[in-house]
Amino acid sequence: MNKHEVVCFGEALWDILPDAAMPGGAPMNVAYHLKKLGLNPAVITRIGIDKYGEGLVNILAKHGVCTDFFHADNVHPTGLVYAKINEQRDVVYDIVYPSAWDFIEWKNEFAGLVQSSKFFVFGSLASRNKVSRDTLYKCLEVGSTNVMDVNLRPPHFNRNSMEHLLRKADILKMNLDELELVTGWFSHFKHKEDRMKLIQERFNIEKLLVTMGADGSVLSDGGDFYYQHAYRVQVQDTIGSGDSFFAAFIQSIYKGLAPQESLAFASAVGAFVASKAGACPEYEVSELKTLFQSDVDEKLKEPLLKQ
């Protein structure tokens, strides 16, 4: 049995906030939360030979996340993102280019690693440079279930690459703005459900998750729609909350939870992380149960008890 149920591919970096530097990057964040939730993910990425790269390895190793596939780059620096939090507590990003994770070179060991995992998780941001994009395309050819996080950060995407990635995805997560932008390429639908059906039919997507911030989230799975409200928390920042949401959803479907249960648990974890500072805060799963004990509905109670 492969020891890595999930392989995450792409950017590993530091979010440089006004008052702190915190580890980040969507694939790395997803891996961190998957480990917290009981799985054993591996991360394919590239880091610079610098203090930031060393720091990422040390932090993930401390939490038991596999860093065997972190490759070193002696030319390009470890990725940095300068993040600013606006008045609505949302985050605006300046993603430094080029960075080491733009140059993830293909290694033959990736084929067996990805092929023997249950889920291959990737984001659209990792395709902004040809070197990493070509490696990603090769991984997608051998992935059993390809799980895509749409992460549209202008100017770091283009339509041709996005369409190629969407055609390879089995499970897809995007926010409402991204849903509207992408479906705007093909149609003039106004309702999100029509837009979601379009994406699934056009690209043969099995499961489509759409996050809507304070308005909750919606899942389309097998022709059925499932809705989940957003849990109320005192928001510290929204950095990484979507990644923790996605990790919890992946973990839930890996464990065989029903669609509504999976969506409810993902929403709970995303809200919990938003109540903490940074994308990868320290926590234990037991804290989730305590936090939502007084505001838990029947949709959330069951998946929480199963963790």
Side-chain angles (χ1 to χ4, degrees), residues 92-114:
V92 181
Y93 301 96
D94 176 17
I95 307 169
V96 175
Y97 179 88
S99 296
W101 59 266
D102 290 306
F103 299 89
I104 304 172
E105 298 174 348
W106 172 258
K107 305 291 182 183
N108 290 334
E109 62 185 347
F110 294 166
L113 174 70
V114 173

Side-chain angles (χ1 to χ4, degrees), residues 194-250:
D194 292 330
R195 292 177 183 270
M196 292 173 70
K197 288 179 182 177
L198 171 66
I199 290 287
Q200 288 185 278
E201 292 171 0
R202 187 180 185 95
F203 298 105
N204 194 27
I205 305 292
E206 177 187 344
K207 303 178 194 295
L208 173 56
L209 280 163
V210 175
T211 58
M212 302 179 292
D215 293 323
S217 55
V218 56
L219 166 67
S220 178
D221 184 1
D224 296 320
F225 284 90
Y226 303 88
Y227 300 87
Q228 177 62 42
H229 66 78
Y231 289 93
R232 294 182 180 180
V233 294
Q234 184 66 44
V235 174
Q236 286 271 12
D237 63 56
T238 58
I239 299 174
S241 60
D243 301 328
S244 61
F245 172 98
F246 204 23
F249 183 79
I250 294 167

Side-chain angles (χ1 to χ4, degrees), residues 3 18 25 30 41 47 51 53 57-58 66 95 106 119 147-148 177 195 200 214 225 228 239 264-265 273 285 304:
K3 65 177 181 179
V30 170
I47 55 175
K51 66 177 183 179
V57 171
N58 290 341
C66 175
I95 307 169
W106 172 258
F119 299 105
V147 184
M148 179 180 177
D177 290 340
R195 292 177 183 270
Q200 288 185 278
F225 284 90
Q228 177 62 42
I239 299 174
F265 183 63
V273 171
V285 175
L304 277 177

Side-chain angles (χ1 to χ4, degrees), residues 13 18 27 134 164-165 220 235 262:
L13 48 83
D134 288 348
H164 180 86
L165 295 176
S220 178
V235 174
S262 299

